[in-house]
């Protein structure tokens, strides 16, 4: 099997699994209990929070553990809207966000929020002038993703942070694709709120975190016990939290090394596809893109058909986002980047990790060339 769908999810690394195991079997205490077994869990939570905070230049009390990226995004949008609704409910986001943001915005619109969806250029980059012009006295939040899951484009987060700071508007970034892969410094980048998810950087599924700047007042998301300083109640997922921290530590330690290897493989794959497959168009920005991210539209084929034929050769890839599989419409991200509907139907995403090899990439290019030619001839 050749796995090229790391933007959908990653393999939980063996070090991470090993770090988690004792917290299922031996140290199963509730972190809220006062006896020794409970305090073992509590200590693990404290350490995990410090580790995660350290990777983004935050303080431990600014990290809240959640059940993943979707929950973190929901929390921010709903809680900011609820708390600031009295001074207007205008939120600025983009047309290319993940559905965790877009569908939450749609829900908030039904509740009375007004939302501006920013355009992107042909490379998927947000228009900063349009952002500035969209800010109004009742704007309560700017939410722009750090890097896009479908086309890999990295957004100018620092500049967006500066603009948000200048106008005194809260800034949230969905950094689910970026965290663990790109350097993040929340203070320098003027980020008030940041979402991340364990399974996108070799951690376990179902655990993520939300960074909330200590000067930002954010309402509770799940009501109940005192966990997560009463803002996200429910017995902590201790093994998951230990796992996400182990993955975060590893990712930040080897980030540069890994990115170098992945960028080299990425550019090799892009180069060969462009040279050897006619009618292949790169989507997203050529250089301002995630290290392991390759995405193309192939003229005259259906992405889904290509995927099925790749699967028959043991190659795992995606047509864009795993979350839209089964959704027959063309990708909202590609349409926002000005790709025609016809062309958007031929989209393929190949997202690699440092575990892939050049030999695998050669096999993939050859399979892809054969499949595209065959489908076009049918
Ligand atoms: C995967 C992803 C999410 C959702 O994260 P989950 O942990 O799977 O809920 C949100 N935003 C982006 C950009 C993603 O890639």
């Amino acid at each position: 099997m050749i796995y090229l769908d790391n933007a959908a999810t990653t393999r939980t690394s063996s070090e991470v699994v090993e770090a988690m195991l004792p917290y299922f079997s031996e140290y199963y205490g509730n972190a809220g209990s006062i006896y020794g077994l409970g305090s073992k869990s509590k200590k693990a939570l404290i350490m995990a929070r410090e580790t995660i905070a350290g990777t983004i230049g935050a303080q431990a009390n600014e990290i809240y553990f959640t059940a993943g990226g979707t929950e973190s995004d929901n929390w921010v949008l709903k809680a900011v809207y609820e708390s600031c609704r009295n001074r207007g409910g205008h939120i600025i986001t983009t047309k290319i966000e993940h559905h965790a943001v877009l569908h939450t915005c749609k829900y908030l619109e039904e509740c009375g929020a007004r939302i501006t969806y920013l355009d992107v250029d042909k490379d998927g980059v947000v228009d900063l002038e349009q952002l500035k012009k969209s800010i109004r006295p009742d704007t309560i939040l700017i939410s722009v993703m750090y890097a896009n899951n479908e086309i890999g484009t990295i957004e100018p987060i620092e500049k967006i942070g500066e603009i948000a700071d200048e106008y005194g508007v809260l800034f949230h970034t969905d950094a689910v694709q970026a965290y663990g892969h790109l350097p993040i410094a929340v203070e320098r980048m003027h980020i008030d709120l940041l979402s991340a998810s364990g399974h996108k950087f070799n951690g376990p599924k179902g655990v993520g975190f939300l960074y909330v700047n200590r000067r930002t007042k954010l309402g509770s998301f799940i009501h109940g016990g005192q966990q997560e300083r009463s803002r996200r109640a429910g017995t902590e997922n201790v093994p998951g939290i230990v796992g996400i921290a182990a993955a975060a530590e590893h990712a930040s330690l080897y980030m540069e090394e890994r990115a170098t290897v992945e960028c080299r493989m990425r550019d090799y794959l892009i180069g060969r596809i462009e040279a050897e497959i006619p009618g292949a168009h790169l989507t997203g920005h050529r250089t301002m893109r995630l290290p392991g991210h390759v995405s193309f539209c192939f003229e005259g084929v259906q992405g889904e058909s290509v995927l099925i034929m790749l699967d028959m050769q043991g190659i795992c890839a995606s047509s864009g986002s795993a979350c839209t599989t089964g959704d027959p419409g063309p990708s909202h991200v590609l349409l926002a980047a000005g790709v025609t509907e016809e062309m958007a139907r031929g989209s393929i995403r190949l997202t690699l990790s440092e575990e892939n090899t050049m030999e695998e990439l050669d096999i993939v290019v050859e399979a892809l060339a054969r499949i595209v030619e065959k489908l076009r001839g049918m």
Side-chain angles (χ1 to χ4, degrees), residues 70 73-75 77-78 98-109 115 117:
T70 302
D73 288 342
N74 267 262
W75 184 356
L77 293 161
K78 290 174 183 169
H98 190 274
H99 282 149
V101 168
L102 285 182
H103 289 170
T104 308
C105 285
K106 288 277 172 265
Y107 163 75
L108 291 178
E109 274 180 310
I115 318 263
Y117 299 93

Side-chain angles (χ1 to χ4, degrees), residues 176-190:
V176 174
Q177 287 292 330
Y179 182 86
H181 302 277
L182 298 171
I184 299 176
V186 285
E187 292 284 342
R188 185 167 54 75
M189 296 174 168
H190 300 285

